[in-house]
Amino acid sequence: MTSTITTLTATRSKLLPPAPRPSRGRALELQGYRGLAALSTVLFHVWQEWYTYDAAGAHPPVDSAWLGALISLEVIDLFFVMSAYLLTLSYARAAIDGGTIRTGRSFLFRRAIRILPLYFLAVLVVWASRNPTLPGDWRDLVEHLTFTHVFDQERIFYTLGPTWSLSLEVAFYLALIALGPVAVRVCRRLSTRRARVAVCASGCAALFVLPVVWISVAHYVVGVPHTNWPVYFGPQARFGGFAAGMGLAVLLVALGERGRLSARATVPLSAGALAGLYALSYLSDPENFAHTYYHPIAAVLWFTLLYATLQVRPREQVRWHVVLRAPWVTAVGLISYSLYIWHEPVMLWLIKSGLVPTSRAGFPFAALIVLAVALAVGTASYWLIEYPASLLGKAKDGKGATREFYPDPTR
């Protein structure tokens, strides 16, 4: 079973927006991964809620360790690896093959347009509903609005529990605009492509190793318990997922069209990565090795799975990718951010209102109800908040914002 975190069946497809056409490469498959990961996150948090707060005591709502390992498999590292891969691509191309990059101001503007309107709205709505009289827990509000709640042992999971991961995303954005241009400048002084690749790869490897060292010292030397959330959930411990995504971007840029995999070759590689992720979830128990190093190991396995997905020869089709490209899966991927933001408050509201069964036997029905309502809310949130906000970024680019950089590879 995986470590306890408070992050990160669908309803009918008619509730969801149509999936967009892929703009490049394997974009549709990545959209599918987002969709499946978002659904898995919702199901995991329902599982966790019933596991922890069932009136009969803390025990799994489904009496099967094999099924429990599948439901409780954590996918937050997949989001980190994908995000870092997509956002690092332009820097990797500029560092290894030359070219220009987006200015830090432009990059942060587009990231802010992408995440802040929905996030700020959700924080204010949920916080106000739980703090009806002022000043309320004003510190909780301030920390969530400044993405610093990940460093507060008491409040890290307040208001919007899963959004501790957004604190790490913001830290990654700042790290990327600080380190990316430096890497580009250093690489431009190198005469060979091999040397430029080596510098970029070494930097990614160092960024991956540092959190592993931090975890090792914290757990085995200092003896910090795994329930010390800021120690093990902060960027100093979880940056390995982003480093893996950065390394994936460097690897694929370095390879270019070389080393493309046949559809047949991707099957054992993908199956091995998925089997490893499942085994990691099944074997992970508090204080054992799999638990302590769960996230660095998971990041490597997600790296492998995404490599097997992205490096397929252009004209070859992988049979199991039909699931990733299924319209209902990519539609969930489109609204995955809204679904991620709203699913926990939706779940808690449904429980408080008595609209879902709270017994152990009622878990499957509760999961279906929460998924259906959260998908409906996520769909409305995407079209009413996310999509209009995204138009501001496009309008800015259309009115003279610099174009001499690679386009933002995220949607």
Side-chain angles (χ1 to χ4, degrees):
M1 300 284 291
T2 63
S3 60
T4 301
I5 68 168
T6 322
T7 39
L8 1 121
T9 60
T11 190
R12 295 180 182 176
S13 59
K14 67 181 181 181
L15 291 176
L16 304 173
R21 295 177 64 86
S23 57
R24 60 178 66 78
R26 298 282 170 176
L28 201 59
E29 282 85 347
L30 294 183
Q31 188 94 318
Y33 277 125
R34 284 195 188 97
L36 293 177
L39 291 174
S40 176
T41 299
V42 177
L43 185 59
F44 170 64
H45 284 140
V46 179
W47 166 277
Q48 187 180 60
E49 186 73 16
W50 264 246
Y51 191 120
T52 306
Y53 300 111
D54 183 14
H59 53 72
V62 176
D63 193 17
S64 169
W66 298 98
L67 181 58
L70 180 62
I71 295 175
S72 59
L73 190 155
E74 296 180 27
V75 296
I76 190 63
D77 297 291
L78 173 59
F79 286 118
F80 291 163
V81 174
M82 280 198 298
S83 176
Y85 160 72
L86 290 168
L87 295 173
T88 305
L89 269 176
S90 60
Y91 290 97
R93 290 167 179 155
I96 295 172
D97 293 323
T100 54
I101 56 174
R102 188 183 299 277
T103 64
R105 178 180 298 180
S106 177
F107 175 89
L108 290 178
F109 171 79
R110 289 178 66 87
R111 290 293 87 206
I113 286 295
R114 175 73 183 89
I115 69 172
L116 294 186
L118 174 57
Y119 175 74
F120 282 165
L121 175 64
V123 167
L124 291 172
V125 168
V126 175
W127 185 89
S129 70
R130 298 175 185 174
N131 294 267
T133 60
L134 296 177
D137 190 349
W138 61 269
R139 183 175 172 181
D140 172 53
L141 178 62
V142 171
E143 288 181 355
H144 274 78
L145 293 178
T146 56
F147 296 99
T148 56
H149 53 294
V150 74
F151 302 109
D152 188 329
Q153 171 70 9
E154 180 183 356
R155 296 175 178 83
I156 183 174
F157 303 130
Y158 277 22
T159 304
L160 294 174
T163 61
W164 63 269
S165 63
L166 286 183
S167 297
L168 272 63
E169 281 277 347
V170 171
F172 168 68
Y173 299 157
L174 297 177
L176 186 62
I177 63 170
L179 298 176
V182 173
V184 172
R185 286 196 294 270
V186 169
C187 287
R188 284 176 178 170
R189 299 174 182 175
L190 302 175
S191 58
T192 67
R193 192 173 189 269
R194 177 175 295 181
R196 295 193 291 271
V197 171
V199 166
C200 294
S202 299
C204 295
L207 291 173
F208 182 85
V209 169
L210 287 175
V212 176
V213 173
W214 171 276
I215 293 170
S216 301
V217 172
H219 185 73
Y220 291 109
V221 178
V222 183
V224 179
H226 71 275
T227 52
N228 189 318
W229 311 125
V231 170
Y232 295 107
F233 278 64
Q236 74 283 352
R238 294 294 186 91
F239 203 85
F242 296 105
M246 297 169 74
L248 181 62
V250 169
L251 175 62
L252 295 190
V253 170
L255 290 176
E257 294 302 314
R258 296 172 298 173
R260 290 281 186 176
L261 303 173
S262 66
R264 180 176 297 179
T266 66
V267 175
L269 196 58
S270 300
L274 290 171
L277 287 162
Y278 179 82
L280 190 63
S281 180
Y282 184 81
L283 297 173
S284 180
D285 281 313
E287 304 304 331
N288 70 6
F289 181 88
H291 180 279
T292 301
Y293 296 103
Y294 182 97
H295 297 285
I297 297 172
V300 172
L301 293 170
W302 289 121
F303 170 102
T304 304
L305 182 64
L306 290 176
Y307 172 81
T309 302
L310 295 165
Q311 195 63 4
V312 181
R313 293 169 186 165
R315 295 184 180 181
E316 296 205 26
Q317 298 295 324
V318 183
R319 290 185 179 181
W320 74 271
H321 284 184
V322 68
V323 177
L324 297 174
R325 296 190 297 268
W328 68 271
V329 176
T330 54
V332 176
L334 182 66
I335 66 164
S336 57
Y337 179 52
S338 281
L339 182 60
Y340 188 79
I341 290 291
W342 291 114
H343 76 273
E344 186 196 56
V346 164
M347 175 183 69
L348 297 178
W349 176 81
L350 289 170
I351 294 172
K352 183 178 180 180
S353 302
L355 298 176
V356 293
T358 55
S359 65
R360 184 181 185 190
F363 166 74
F365 303 101
L368 289 173
I369 293 170
V370 172
L371 278 170
V373 178
L375 283 167
V377 172
T379 300
S381 173
Y382 174 80
W383 288 115
L384 296 176
I385 304 170
E386 275 195 80
Y387 182 72
S390 70
L391 296 179
L392 293 177
K394 294 178 181 179
K396 185 175 187 301
D397 282 349
K399 291 182 178 180
T402 54
R403 291 176 174 271
E404 64 275 9
F405 43 69
Y406 289 100
D408 186 358
T410 56
R411 64 175 185 271

